[in-house]
């Protein structure tokens, strides 16, 4: 989880008093606006739940007098650091208390009440499935709801996730983020400007998992529709001959054969990102990046002189490819640069507005480490992909033994200072929110 508090907002309560809210962004998008004392209440509850409360970072101290603008900015940065540091402890980030606080804060900030709504979730072939959900339902409950409607075997649900995607002005599709269990897909989509959709995508990197999934009819259809979409979008590279073979298999409905052929193609199983900038092999390089196969793949756009032209200014563009294995990355970090800050990776090229940088330290050769920086609006998604690939590699070495906090009732402090008692609830989900015809059309697609 990547937390940022870029700015604040003023609220006026029913009595006319003005107070400050801190705008919390998670993984690159706005999530909620909370008061200082709401975060302090969360901190106190986490201290009571943790066996070793001293492992929490220090909470920014209270001030007796009203804050100056400089002190307010200092508090904002300290709260940002607190959230970022606390969430790095998996006992905290995976706790129902922490996730429930974030979900409740999102619901309060959106001014939504927990009411029934219809949420459209799209499959990768564009098919729309209307789900009857509550505005307060977190991503895992919506995913469970959807999987029941599709009749996806419960043991396979963990291999799929909900994502937010956006259609750009040029018609391209950008993946914004994976929807996590501390947020409501309905509210997260509604809060973003532009045309966004909630889509169901596979959420694993080890392609050997597909052999097991292909034995399930519904899982096979999900893999198949995603592969077709990625071929059509150019995320998977094909030659004309291979594309004709794939089209023939698709027309005959030979899904397993289609997937077997697609698996051998370049960038199958990769997440592709929009064009961005990097400082490798030199500053100011335009690059296309894909994540998959335990690596970040770079396709750097290089300008080469045109040998057929007599003019020295004429040049043609070529793509130079290179890969950076996650097993050779010592560490990586995310940095937010604002308009007045200059990015070294851009090499003097000016871009307006805030920018995100992903920097990783890479073992280029024995005893030679080098920092490589990427400037991209999708830097946080790239970081999440790296983290997921590393997690898969670690999982193969043995199961996780992360202790969990007790799942006890807790209290959410509202902005007005009142409390809402929250009790863990297991919600049963009905199976009547999708028509038989919709389910049948999906199986036959």
């Amino acid at each position: 989880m990547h937390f940022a508090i870029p700015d604040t907002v003023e609220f006026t309560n029913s009595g006319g008093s003005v107070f400050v809210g801190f705008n919390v962004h998670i993984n690159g998008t706005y999530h909620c606006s909370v008061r200082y004392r709401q975060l302090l209440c969360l901190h106190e509850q986490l201290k009571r739940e943790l066996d070793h409360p001293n492992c929490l970072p220090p909470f920014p101290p209270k001030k007796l007098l009203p804050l100056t603008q400089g002190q307010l900015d200092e508090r904002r940065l300290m709260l940002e650091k607190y959230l970022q540091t606390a969430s790095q402890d998996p006992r905290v980030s995976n706790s129902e208390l922490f996730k429930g606080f974030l979900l409740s804060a999102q619901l309060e900030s959106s001014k939504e009440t927990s009411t029934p709504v219809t949420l459209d979730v799209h499959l990768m072939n564009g098919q729309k499935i209307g789900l009857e959900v509550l505005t307060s339902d977190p991503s895992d409950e919506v995913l469970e709801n959807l999987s029941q409607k599709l009749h996806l075997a419960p043991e396979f649900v963990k291999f799929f996730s909900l994502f937010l995607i956006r259609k750009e002005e040029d018609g391209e599709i950008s993946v914004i983020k994976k929807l996590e269990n501390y947020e409501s897909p309905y509210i997260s989509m509604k809060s973003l400007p532009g045309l966004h959709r909630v889509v169901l995508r596979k959420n694993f990197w080890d392609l050997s998992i597909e052999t097991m999934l292909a034995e399930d009819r519904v899982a096979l259809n999900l893999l198949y529709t995603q592969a077709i979409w990625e071929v059509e979008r150019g995320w998977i590279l094909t030659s004309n001959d291979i594309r004709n073979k794939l089209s023939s298999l698709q027309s005959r409905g030979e899904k397993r054969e289609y997937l077997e052929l697609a698996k051998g193609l370049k960038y199958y199983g990769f997440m592709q990102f929009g064009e961005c900038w990097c400082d490798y092999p030199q500053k100011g390089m335009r690059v296309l990046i894909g994540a998959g196969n335990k690596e970040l793949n770079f396709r750097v756009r290089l300008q080469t002189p045109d040998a057929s032209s007599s003019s020295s200014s004429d040049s043609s563009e070529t793509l130079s490819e290179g890969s950076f294995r996650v097993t050779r990355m010592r560490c990586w970090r995310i940095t937010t640069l604002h308009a007045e800050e200059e990015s070294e990776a851009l090499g003097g090229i000016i871009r307006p507005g805030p920018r995100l940088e992903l920097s990783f330290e890479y073992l280029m050769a024995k005893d030679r480490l080098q920092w490589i920086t990427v400037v991209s609006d999708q830097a946080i998604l790239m970081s999440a992909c790296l983290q997921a690939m590393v997690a898969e590699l670690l999982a193969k070495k043995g199961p996780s033994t992360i202790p969990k906090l007790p799942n006890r009732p807790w209290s959410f402090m509202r902005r007005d200072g009142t409390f809402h008692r929250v009790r863990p609830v297991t919600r049963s989900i009905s199976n009547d929110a999708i028509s038989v015809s919709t389910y049948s059309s999906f199986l036959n697609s």
Side-chain angles (χ1 to χ4, degrees):
M1 300 170 71
H2 180 270
F3 283 89
I5 305 180
D7 49 29
T8 59
V9 62
E10 286 191 347
F11 296 107
T12 303
N13 64 17
S14 57
S17 299
V18 177
F19 57 87
V20 174
F22 295 88
N23 293 327
V24 178
H25 291 232
I26 307 179
N27 292 345
T29 59
Y30 170 79
H31 183 78
C32 62
S33 299
V34 292
R35 297 181 68 177
Y36 170 86
R37 64 179 182 177
Q38 288 180 287
L39 292 173
L40 176 59
C41 181
L42 170 65
H43 174 71
E44 295 297 335
Q45 292 188 84
L46 286 172
K47 282 174 60 178
R48 289 194 293 269
E49 295 294 337
L50 286 168
D51 293 333
H52 302 285
N54 290 334
C55 68
L56 284 172
F59 195 80
K62 294 181 179 179
K63 301 287 186 181
L64 297 178
L65 300 176
L67 301 182
T68 65
Q69 185 59 50
Q71 290 172 325
L72 183 61
D73 287 337
E74 181 183 17
R75 172 174 282 184
R76 174 179 59 81
L77 293 174
M78 292 175 70
L79 289 172
E80 177 182 284
K81 183 178 180 180
Y82 171 82
L83 287 172
Q84 189 61 54
T85 305
S87 64
Q88 289 174 1
D89 187 331
R91 293 174 300 173
V92 173
S93 58
N94 292 324
S95 71
E96 293 302 317
L97 169 57
F98 191 71
K99 291 185 292 186
F101 172 85
L102 294 176
L103 180 63
S104 297
Q106 184 188 42
L107 188 65
E108 181 182 36
S109 300
S110 68
K111 299 180 181 179
E112 294 278 356
T113 57
S114 184
T115 54
V117 292
T118 299
L119 174 67
D120 291 333
V121 179
H122 293 77
L123 305 182
M124 294 308 295
N125 62 355
Q127 182 179 343
K128 181 174 67 175
I129 299 175
L131 297 179
E132 298 305 316
V133 302
L134 297 176
T135 54
S136 57
D137 281 348
S139 299
D140 56 347
E141 291 189 7
V142 174
L143 178 60
E144 182 183 355
N145 191 334
L146 176 63
S147 67
Q148 290 191 18
K149 308 310 176 285
L150 296 177
H151 292 200
L152 178 63
E155 63 268 26
F156 296 149
V157 175
K158 63 183 179 182
F159 297 113
F160 297 89
S161 289
L162 300 175
F163 289 80
L164 269 182
I165 66 171
R166 179 179 65 218
K167 188 173 183 179
E168 307 292 354
E169 292 181 357
D170 59 4
E172 291 297 318
I173 299 295
S174 295
V175 179
I176 304 304
K177 65 175 182 176
K178 174 189 168 187
L179 290 162
E180 302 289 353
N181 295 338
Y182 54 75
E183 62 185 318
S184 155
Y186 174 82
I187 295 175
S188 292
M189 180 179 66
K190 185 178 177 181
S191 66
L192 293 175
L195 179 59
H196 291 78
R197 285 181 174 179
V198 176
V199 299
L200 181 69
R201 290 177 50 87
K202 61 185 181 183
N203 184 43
F204 58 88
W205 303 95
D206 183 356
L207 297 184
S208 65
I209 294 173
E210 292 200 3
T211 303
M212 172 182 61
L213 293 178
E215 298 304 313
D216 179 84
R217 189 182 181 192
V218 177
L220 173 65
N221 274 280
L222 294 174
L223 298 176
Y224 175 66
T225 55
Q226 182 168 334
I228 291 174
W229 184 89
E230 292 180 355
V231 167
E232 292 176 347
R233 286 282 169 182
W235 282 28
I236 300 173
L237 297 187
T238 64
S239 63
N240 289 334
D241 181 54
I242 293 297
R243 185 177 284 268
N244 290 335
K245 291 181 180 179
L246 290 172
S247 297
S248 177
L249 291 171
Q250 182 180 350
S251 65
R252 299 197 299 270
E254 297 180 4
K255 301 173 184 179
R256 286 186 174 83
E257 292 77 6
Y258 186 103
L259 285 172
E260 285 302 317
L261 180 56
K263 282 181 187 178
L265 299 177
K266 187 78 169 178
Y267 302 130
Y268 182 86
F270 275 66
M271 175 82 76
Q272 299 290 349
F273 306 97
E275 185 178 78
C276 50
W277 301 85
C278 72
D279 61 359
Y280 183 85
Q282 60 191 41
K283 295 177 181 179
M285 306 301 297
R286 291 185 299 155
V287 60
L288 297 170
I289 296 180
N293 192 30
K294 301 186 287 291
E295 68 181 33
L296 283 183
N297 178 273
F298 281 36
R299 285 172 285 167
V300 180
R301 297 188 184 276
L302 300 176
Q303 299 293 328
T304 57
D306 190 348
S308 63
S309 174
S310 58
S311 173
S312 59
S313 61
D314 290 338
S315 63
S316 59
E317 188 176 77
T318 61
L319 288 177
S320 176
E321 184 178 355
S323 294
F324 300 92
R325 307 290 293 178
V326 297
T327 52
R328 296 174 68 88
M329 293 181 185
R330 181 173 174 270
C331 61
W332 67 85
R333 67 188 179 212
I334 295 290
T335 307
T336 303
L337 297 178
H338 299 281
E340 65 275 8
E341 298 177 286
E342 182 177 344
S343 170
E344 291 289 332
L346 292 178
I349 299 172
I350 303 300
R351 284 186 57 197
R355 302 181 298 275
L356 290 169
E357 285 189 348
L358 168 68
S359 300
F360 57 90
E361 193 175 24
Y362 194 76
L363 184 63
M364 304 296 292
K366 185 178 180 180
D367 300 326
R368 187 167 74 87
L369 289 164
Q370 178 178 337
W371 280 98
I372 296 171
T373 298
V374 174
V375 181
S376 169
D377 295 336
Q378 295 175 292
I380 295 175
L381 181 60
M382 293 180 193
S383 174
C385 291
L386 289 175
Q387 186 173 358
M389 285 188 277
V390 170
E392 275 195 5
L393 291 172
L394 293 176
K396 289 184 176 181
K397 296 183 178 181
S400 172
T401 56
I402 299 172
K404 293 185 177 181
L405 297 184
N407 194 15
R408 291 195 284 257
W410 57 280
S411 297
F412 173 72
M413 176 189 278
R414 301 185 182 94
R415 288 181 194 152
D416 61 6
T418 60
F419 286 88
H420 170 60
R421 191 70 169 165
V422 180
R423 294 183 178 275
V425 176
T426 302
R427 186 171 67 90
S428 60
I429 302 175
S430 63
N431 285 317
D432 57 357
I434 185 171
S435 65
V436 174
S437 60
T438 303
Y439 173 61
S440 300
S441 66
F442 168 66
L443 288 179
N444 296 324
S445 62

